[in-house]
Amino acid sequence: RAIRMDPQYAAPYAALAHAWWMRGVLGPLSLKEVATPARDAALAALARDDRNAEAYAALAYVEGMFDWAWDRAQGTAERAVALESNSVDARYVHALLLMAMGRLDEAISEIDYASRLDPLSAQVHSTYGRVLYRARRFDDARARLERALELEPRNPGIYARLANVHEQSGRYGDAFGVLDRIELADSGSMTVLGARARVFARAGRTKEARQLLAHLPPQSPSRAEVLATLGD
C-alpha cells in the first residue's frame, strides 16, 4: 500500500524485501520461492536511495543465505552497518551471516548490539540465544531464549531452540517438558516428533527413539538427525 501511495519512496521497498525473505524462513514458502522477490524489492529500494541501510541488509541476507556468496554478502552487510550503525535490521542480518560463516564471537557482538537497540524484540533475543547455543554457551543461551518466550510466549520456534539447549546440556527431562509445550500448540508436528526421538536417543533410551523413528517420513531431515544420534 505504501508503494502504491508513493512508488518512488525507497523505505517500503526495503521493508518488503525483509518481509519476503522472512516469509521463506518463517512462513509457508520455500527459500527458492522468496529469493527473487526479496532480491527485486531490495534492488528497487536501492535504485531509489543508494544509501538505504535496510535495503542493503535485506540484499546481504539474499546474497548470503540464498546465493551463498559469502564475501559479497559480508561486504553488503558491512555497508549497511556503516550507513546506519543503529539499524536493527543491519546488525541483525550481519549477525546471521557471521553465525552462518562460523565467526561466532563477531556474531555475538553484532546480535548483542541489536538486542540493546531493540530490547523488546523476541526475534532478536531468540536469535541471540541461537548464536550462543552454537558457541556452546548453553547457560547464556537459555537465559536469552527464556527472555524471548517472556516477550512472545506463543512462538513454537523459540521453544524448539530452548529444547535444543536443554538437550545439549544433558537436561533431557527439561527438553521433554519444552517439547510438550510445543505440542500443545502444534499437535502432530513431525518436527516435534523428530526432536523427541532425538532426545530419547541422546538419553540412551534407544527403544523409545526407534519407536518414534518409525513414524517419521523416509526423507525427513528429522529422521536423519535421529539416526545420526543413534550412531547409524
Side-chain angles (χ1 to χ4, degrees):
R1 184 177 178 186
I3 289 169
R4 287 197 302 269
M5 292 172 67
D6 186 352
Q8 298 309 311
Y9 184 36
Y13 290 96
L16 184 62
H18 285 279
W20 270 114
W21 73 253
M22 285 188 181
R23 195 177 183 194
V25 174
L26 302 174
L29 301 181
S30 70
L31 298 183
K32 185 176 181 179
E33 290 175 295
V34 303
T36 296
R39 188 194 325 273
D40 288 348
L43 293 174
L46 293 172
R48 288 157 176 80
D49 177 6
D50 64 0
R51 296 183 58 79
N52 187 293
E54 281 66 34
Y56 280 112
L59 184 59
Y61 189 93
V62 172
E63 291 172 340
M65 302 302 186
F66 299 163
D67 301 340
W68 291 10
W70 300 109
D71 290 343
R72 188 166 76 244
Q74 172 70 9
T76 304
E78 289 176 350
R79 177 81 185 275
V81 172
L83 285 168
E84 180 51 75
S85 63
N86 287 334
S87 165
V88 177
D89 285 338
R91 296 285 182 174
Y92 180 81
V93 169
H94 195 200
L96 290 176
L97 292 170
L98 290 165
M99 177 178 66
M101 292 186 285
R103 294 162 58 179
L104 297 176
D105 288 343
E106 295 170 86
I108 289 170
S109 177
E110 283 295 89
I111 199 65
D112 183 73
Y113 200 115
S115 74
R116 286 183 279 117
L117 290 172
D118 190 355
L120 299 181
S121 170
Q123 182 178 348
V124 169
H125 284 290
S126 178
T127 298
Y128 201 159
R130 182 184 179 194
V131 179
L132 290 165
Y133 165 79
R134 293 190 174 183
R136 305 190 68 79
R137 290 171 50 179
F138 297 131
D139 289 340
D140 292 335
R142 185 173 71 252
R144 287 289 174 176
L145 291 166
E146 288 174 348
R147 176 57 179 149
L149 284 173
E150 290 174 3
L151 293 165
E152 194 176 329
R154 294 180 296 177
N155 187 323
I158 302 172
Y159 286 104
R161 290 177 178 180
L162 183 58
N164 289 341
V165 170
H166 287 314
E167 177 188 345
Q168 291 293 331
S169 303
R171 292 191 292 267
Y172 304 125
D174 290 335
F176 284 127
V178 173
L179 292 171
D180 288 341
R181 294 166 74 183
I182 303 176
E183 282 191 324
L184 292 174
D186 189 11
S187 60
S189 167
M190 287 293 105
T191 301
V192 175
L193 182 66
R196 190 179 296 280
R198 191 184 64 240
V199 177
F200 275 134
R202 195 175 297 278
R205 298 165 61 177
T206 57
K207 181 179 179 180
E208 291 151 297
R210 291 194 178 278
Q211 286 174 340
L212 293 182
L213 183 65
H215 297 285
L216 291 171
Q219 302 303 320
S220 167
S222 296
R223 183 179 179 86
E225 291 178 356
V226 177
L227 289 168
T229 308
L230 286 167
D232 184 348

